[in-house]
Amino acid sequence: MSARHRAVLVASLLLSLPLWAQGNWPDRLALGGDEPRLWRLGSDASPQPLPSELQTPLGSIWKLFVYSYLQDNGWQESPLQCDGSRPKEESYCCDPGETITRDQALIRSCGLYFSPQRLGLNANDWRHYWQSRQGPAWLTDIHQLREERYVQVSALLQALAIVPAAAQTKASATLSGIMLQGRGKAGVGALGLLLRAKSYTLPTAEWGTIGGGAGWSDTGTPLWFGGQGGSPQVFQRLAPQMASILLQQPEASHQACVQVRFFARYPLAHLLGAQGKEAKPGALQGNYQLQFANGQQLSWQAEPGHFWLEHTIGQQAIIQGRFSEIEYVARVIDREGDAHHSQASRALAVAARSYLRQQASHQGDCLQLDDSSHFQRVSPHTPSAAAIAAARSTHGLVLQGVEVRYHSSRPEVNRLSWQHAVQEDKSGFDFTQILARAYPNASLQLLDHPLEADCQPLHEAQTWLQYQATHWQSQLRAEPGFEAPVQPLGVCLLTQGRPYADKKAQRIYVRPNPSQDGRIALTHEYLHLAFAHHPMGEDETYIENLARRLVRGEP
């Protein structure tokens, strides 16, 4: 696009936007569907019809359409190997000598990987593919897939809507990695996985740096959002309001089924319905009085379509419930925790879901687990809205690598304490950090998609660090401000960027490098955690010199 045409486009865009959009790039969220809507975030956040003239730069979103095309066509491209010849472009992809695959390239926003020239994409085949799906004109022209290309938001939502279902499902799963380990991580506490979006950041002459993302909600609804600043800042700033809006959208109906035998450890003597009559086997609905063999009683209202009464051969009455997995997890939160603590309840949701997946048996198409203190307690009452929000926003996230356990008050390594989780919630920890501290040997990942884990453990590096740390204790105690970490530290694979230590999660992110330089880098980040509460912990020169002395065995 020539400078003159670009100026005309910008001028027409400014004239077509509402007055509140001129002079800055406001925080906005758009949802597709039969009646596309737009929210201006940061104000009253009430929806309005999506203006047909509203435009957005494609930014890195173009890579999502190439990814979907490759996925739907069964493309078998070669991985990209970084050789250091293009340092600026490769900085988004991999280190010299490393290779990167399609899923990793989408999470890291590697433009080199998705270059049509590198992939050998045929422009005519590309045009026919998207034209046959009634794609917008800009999408059918492979040469228009440029970051600075402006498109109508309505057309972008239309393009996302025509991505084939299987490709959308795979892309959504891969995009969860942006929330767990990429540019959306700052907003994961509020959003969880309510959206799966390809992020973008773009410097502009008109509005400065703008950022956002586009993709799908947890229900598969196309969406776009944007605001001033880079995508990590936009994710963090917009996350609470976007989560509130997305949770108001109806849940997807195709959820996994969980079947529960209620009051498994408390034999039921009588179930009395209307006028005190004994309930008959079959579907349950309305108000009941439960009388247990131990003499206890409970008033209960059965929601239609979820409960039924059956009798065993010995004529013992059993109440069975059947729920979606989201509703099941929400009922566990209401029974085992308190959904008013939003981050603690999200942590409990992941723990409860992980426990279910590890311990449940199969009953037809459903998972089967008793309501019992030997397993998980499940509320027989309608779950609270806050519990549904915690379960839905973390849906699909599980812990892998440990046998998941939790307790109301007593913490242990790889066992969540609800009381501790609440205290960490009040201290500003998000649910991923609460889980990392409770389960240091586990990784948080999307079910059946291990690549999208928040921590890919580096076991060799972790073993080396744990061994060395015990031998460094006497030397380090002489240093002002040293505090040995009170729990095992996780050492995780760093996929891009510089090594760092997550103080809240008690995790270190480095590259797998057993050389002396690699071990100095690992020790450097360990020291940031060990001096987390002292000013020396922020002195990079001091930390680096101390790390070198420890690794080299110098006094």
Side-chain angles (χ1 to χ4, degrees), residues 311-550:
H311 285 141
T312 64
I313 295 177
Q315 293 303 300
Q316 180 184 342
I318 294 175
I319 296 175
Q320 294 274 17
R322 180 176 294 175
F323 317 101
S324 71
E325 188 173 295
I326 286 178
E327 186 173 349
Y328 168 84
V329 170
R331 288 172 181 267
V332 174
I333 293 170
D334 280 339
R335 183 65 179 82
E336 301 270 27
D338 181 351
H340 291 98
H341 304 287
S342 63
Q343 295 305 317
S345 64
R346 281 163 171 74
L348 179 58
V350 175
R353 183 180 303 108
S354 304
Y355 185 90
L356 169 71
R357 292 285 177 169
Q358 291 180 358
Q359 301 294 334
S361 59
H362 288 268
Q363 185 73 26
D365 294 333
C366 290
L367 295 172
Q368 171 81 49
L369 199 64
D370 286 350
D371 160 42
S372 164
S373 56
H374 283 177
F375 295 103
Q376 293 189 133
R377 301 307 310 272
V378 186
S379 172
H381 305 295
T382 304
S384 65
I388 288 287
R392 181 176 168 184
S393 63
T394 61
H395 183 61
L397 287 176
V398 292
L399 294 161
Q400 297 283 11
V402 300
E403 182 178 353
V404 174
R405 300 172 298 151
Y406 59 90
H407 192 272
S408 61
S409 58
R410 296 200 301 269
E412 290 182 4
V413 175
N414 295 320
R415 183 171 80 177
L416 176 74
S417 160
W418 171 251
Q419 289 184 4
H420 275 221
V422 169
Q423 291 303 314
E424 289 170 339
D425 183 333
K426 292 178 179 178
S427 298
F429 290 64
D430 70 39
F431 75 91
T432 66
Q433 295 160 339
I434 294 172
L435 290 169
R437 294 169 72 91
Y439 303 99
N441 298 329
S443 61
L444 178 65
Q445 67 180 55
L446 189 66
L447 192 65
D448 300 328
H449 292 277
L451 177 65
E452 282 67 72
D454 71 330
C455 175
Q456 298 178 48
L458 297 178
H459 297 294
E460 183 177 342
Q462 184 168 342
T463 299
W464 178 86
L465 180 61
Q466 289 174 343
Y467 176 82
Q468 294 296 330
T470 59
H471 292 79
W472 293 335
Q473 296 294 309
S474 58
Q475 185 174 347
L476 288 173
R477 285 197 183 98
E479 301 290 331
F482 170 73
E483 297 178 55
V486 296
Q487 61 187 48
L489 299 175
V491 181
C492 311
L493 173 66
L494 177 70
T495 56
Q496 61 184 123
R498 298 176 61 84
Y500 69 96
D502 187 327
K503 295 178 183 178
K504 287 185 175 180
Q506 292 284 282
R507 280 181 169 166
I508 296 170
Y509 289 82
V510 293
R511 299 194 186 280
N513 184 356
S515 70
Q516 186 177 81
D517 286 344
R519 288 175 171 174
I520 289 172
L522 174 58
T523 306
H524 181 112
E525 301 309 326
Y526 165 78
L527 293 174
H528 275 305
L529 296 178
F531 291 86
H533 301 106
H534 193 274
M536 298 305 292
E538 302 301 322
D539 186 331
E540 290 292 332
T541 300
Y542 168 78
I543 291 294
E544 178 66 13
N545 289 338
L546 182 55
R548 290 179 179 277
R549 296 206 318 267
L550 291 172

Side-chain angles (χ1 to χ4, degrees), residues 38-62:
L38 178 73
W39 284 260
R40 181 189 177 190
L41 305 180
S43 59
D44 60 358
S46 57
Q48 57 182 279
L50 177 64
S52 60
E53 68 273 11
L54 179 62
Q55 297 192 9
T56 179
L58 266 180
S60 295
I61 301 168
W62 67 268

Side-chain angles (χ1 to χ4, degrees), residues 110-400:
C110 175
L112 287 175
Y113 189 98
F114 294 108
S115 166
Q117 291 75 24
R118 186 191 88 86
L119 296 168
L121 300 184
N122 182 278
N124 290 329
D125 292 342
W126 175 274
R127 179 181 299 105
H128 175 74
Y129 177 87
W130 293 109
Q131 281 182 342
S132 68
R133 290 163 175 77
Q134 288 77 53
W138 57 263
L139 182 57
T140 63
D141 184 353
I142 200 169
H143 302 296
Q144 293 195 45
L145 298 182
R146 302 187 306 274
E147 291 192 352
E148 68 275 11
R149 176 74 163 87
Y150 278 79
V151 301
Q152 292 177 316
V153 173
S154 58
L156 177 60
L157 297 179
Q158 174 198 350
L160 291 165
I162 63 174
V163 171
Q168 177 189 325
T169 298
K170 182 62 172 68
S172 293
T174 301
L175 290 172
S176 68
I178 291 177
M179 299 305 299
L180 292 178
Q181 56 182 276
R183 292 166 177 82
K185 194 170 184 178
V188 73
L191 278 166
L193 296 184
L194 290 171
L195 64 77
R196 320 282 177 86
K198 177 67 193 78
S199 61
Y200 70 89
T201 297
L202 190 70
T204 70
E206 300 81 24
W207 300 285
T209 299
I210 59 176
W216 302 274
S217 72
D218 64 322
T219 64
T221 301
L223 60 81
W224 166 87
F225 63 95
Q228 211 94 33
S231 59
Q233 292 75 36
V234 174
F235 264 110
Q236 184 173 24
R237 188 173 67 250
L238 274 56
Q241 275 191 284
M242 289 200 296
S244 177
I245 292 168
L246 294 174
L247 285 169
Q248 295 173 25
Q249 313 306 310
E251 291 180 39
S253 58
H254 51 83
Q255 305 293 353
C257 167
V258 184
Q259 190 165 295
V260 181
R261 184 164 69 105
F262 277 90
F263 315 112
R265 296 189 62 204
Y266 301 96
L268 187 63
H270 300 284
L271 180 62
L272 306 179
Q275 290 82 46
K277 295 181 179 179
E278 193 79 31
K280 296 180 180 180
L284 298 174
Q285 178 177 343
N287 297 314
Y288 295 91
Q289 189 72 23
L290 284 68
Q291 297 180 356
F292 297 95
N294 64 4
Q296 298 294 315
Q297 297 190 22
L298 175 68
S299 296
W300 173 57
Q301 184 177 34
E303 308 139 66
H306 285 301
F307 297 92
W308 71 95
L309 178 68
E310 62 182 38
H311 285 141
T312 64
I313 295 177
Q315 293 303 300
Q316 180 184 342
I318 294 175
I319 296 175
Q320 294 274 17
R322 180 176 294 175
F323 317 101
S324 71
E325 188 173 295
I326 286 178
E327 186 173 349
Y328 168 84
V329 170
R331 288 172 181 267
V332 174
I333 293 170
D334 280 339
R335 183 65 179 82
E336 301 270 27
D338 181 351
H340 291 98
H341 304 287
S342 63
Q343 295 305 317
S345 64
R346 281 163 171 74
L348 179 58
V350 175
R353 183 180 303 108
S354 304
Y355 185 90
L356 169 71
R357 292 285 177 169
Q358 291 180 358
Q359 301 294 334
S361 59
H362 288 268
Q363 185 73 26
D365 294 333
C366 290
L367 295 172
Q368 171 81 49
L369 199 64
D370 286 350
D371 160 42
S372 164
S373 56
H374 283 177
F375 295 103
Q376 293 189 133
R377 301 307 310 272
V378 186
S379 172
H381 305 295
T382 304
S384 65
I388 288 287
R392 181 176 168 184
S393 63
T394 61
H395 183 61
L397 287 176
V398 292
L399 294 161
Q400 297 283 11

